[in-house]
Amino acid sequence: MCPQAARPARPARSARPALPSTATLDQTHRRMIEVLAELRSLVGHLDADGVDAAARASAATIRDFLADNARAHHAEEERLVFPALLRDGDAELVQDVLRLQQDHGWLEEDWLELEPQLEAVANGYSWYDLDLLRQAVDVYASLYIDHIALEESRIYPAWRRRQAGSDV
């Protein structure tokens, strides 16, 4: 056997960046609440004025946010926040996280129903179904508001406490 040569020292590295805080997640929640209000307003606008330039622009903005930011937000929670809290084993938090994971699935299902309606409006088509859109918006927005309330009242504070006590 050959004696192993001493491994050269590794160069110094910059300090490890801090783990992400919930600041970005909180900002997305604030924007989501605004978007949900815009979505409800859009339904009223369509009822009164139909598909005009304002409705098209609003639908496109809402669609883009929900398709991109909201979905990425859920993925980030699933990757970063939920696993840590599930590992901690607090029975109430585990139930809350399981509920939120179920919500993510339901929100995705609701989005798949809502998106074609918004897409039609954004493109100026009149084949959207206002009654279906109104109902879909009510279901989606109500679930999302409840979802955000649970995250901000229980999940994010628990995750912040965990991060503050962690040397990871």
Side-chain angles (χ1 to χ4, degrees):
M1 291 186 111
C2 290
Q4 288 189 352
R7 184 176 2 182
R10 292 182 178 161
R13 296 188 302 172
S14 59
R16 168 178 42 93
L19 289 171
S21 72
T22 56
T24 302
L25 298 173
D26 289 336
Q27 289 171 354
T28 302
H29 281 175
R30 283 190 294 280
R31 180 64 183 128
M32 175 55 71
I33 290 168
E34 293 169 359
V35 167
L36 293 173
E38 291 171 22
L39 186 55
R40 285 186 161 140
S41 178
L42 174 62
V43 172
H45 181 93
L46 290 168
D47 195 24
D49 300 315
V51 178
D52 59 9
R56 291 179 68 186
S58 179
T61 300
I62 293 165
R63 177 205 57 212
D64 293 348
F65 179 84
L66 296 177
D68 298 332
N69 299 73
R71 288 168 129 180
H73 173 85
H74 294 168
E76 190 71 2
E77 289 173 336
E78 296 280 349
R79 182 186 70 78
L80 185 65
V81 178
F82 295 170
L85 295 177
L86 289 171
R87 280 192 306 271
D88 284 350
D90 177 294
E92 286 184 51
L93 281 176
V94 166
Q95 287 305 305
D96 290 342
V97 169
L98 293 175
R99 175 182 163 188
L100 292 171
Q101 288 175 320
Q102 182 179 51
D103 286 357
H104 284 171
W106 287 345
L107 288 165
E108 182 65 17
E109 285 180 25
D110 294 344
W111 171 244
L112 294 175
E113 184 176 304
L114 186 59
E115 182 184 29
Q117 301 292 317
L118 288 174
E119 186 71 25
V121 173
N123 289 313
Y125 301 132
S126 59
W127 58 257
Y128 67 92
D129 182 326
L130 184 60
D131 291 331
L132 176 66
L133 182 60
R134 182 179 288 112
Q135 181 181 8
V137 167
D138 286 343
V139 169
Y140 187 77
S142 294
L143 177 57
Y144 231 123
I145 295 297
D146 289 348
H147 182 86
I148 289 170
L150 179 57
E151 285 179 341
E152 292 200 359
S153 67
R154 302 230 338 115
I155 298 304
Y156 288 5
W159 191 59
R160 284 184 188 107
R161 285 189 303 275
R162 187 182 194 287
Q163 293 306 104
S166 174
D167 292 334
V168 178

